[in-house]
Amino acid sequence: MFGNFAISVVIGLALGFLFGVGCAAAVLYTIFLSGYRAALRDAAAGGASDRYREQIRKVTHR
């Protein structure tokens, strides 16, 4: 009675889950890579930024 419908539902859920997880993983991977590249760029720049020095000054003068 529900044979074809049940198979369609299972296939739809499986594909939906796989594509959903795949897209989420791609987004997280992109965010990770952009953050990683920015961290490497900041580390290679040498020295502290002006904003960092200003924040350290604020914290130490409390």
Side-chain angles (χ1 to χ4, degrees), residues 16-41:
F17 180 75
L18 290 174
F19 280 119
V21 170
C23 290
V27 168
L28 289 174
Y29 182 70
T30 302
I31 292 170
F32 170 75
L33 278 185
S34 64
Y36 183 70
R37 287 182 185 145
L40 288 178
R41 185 175 51 242

Side-chain angles (χ1 to χ4, degrees), residues 5-61:
F5 180 72
I7 292 172
S8 298
V9 168
V10 169
I11 290 173
L13 286 174
L15 288 176
F17 180 75
L18 290 174
F19 280 119
V21 170
C23 290
V27 168
L28 289 174
Y29 182 70
T30 302
I31 292 170
F32 170 75
L33 278 185
S34 64
Y36 183 70
R37 287 182 185 145
L40 288 178
R41 185 175 51 242
D42 291 346
S49 67
D50 294 335
R51 183 171 181 248
Y52 176 77
R53 283 190 223 119
E54 179 184 340
Q55 295 300 321
I56 292 295
R57 184 182 54 80
K58 286 180 182 177
V59 169
T60 56
H61 284 85

Side-chain angles (χ1 to χ4, degrees), residues 1-7:
M1 181 173 160
F2 293 109
N4 289 337
F5 180 72
I7 292 172

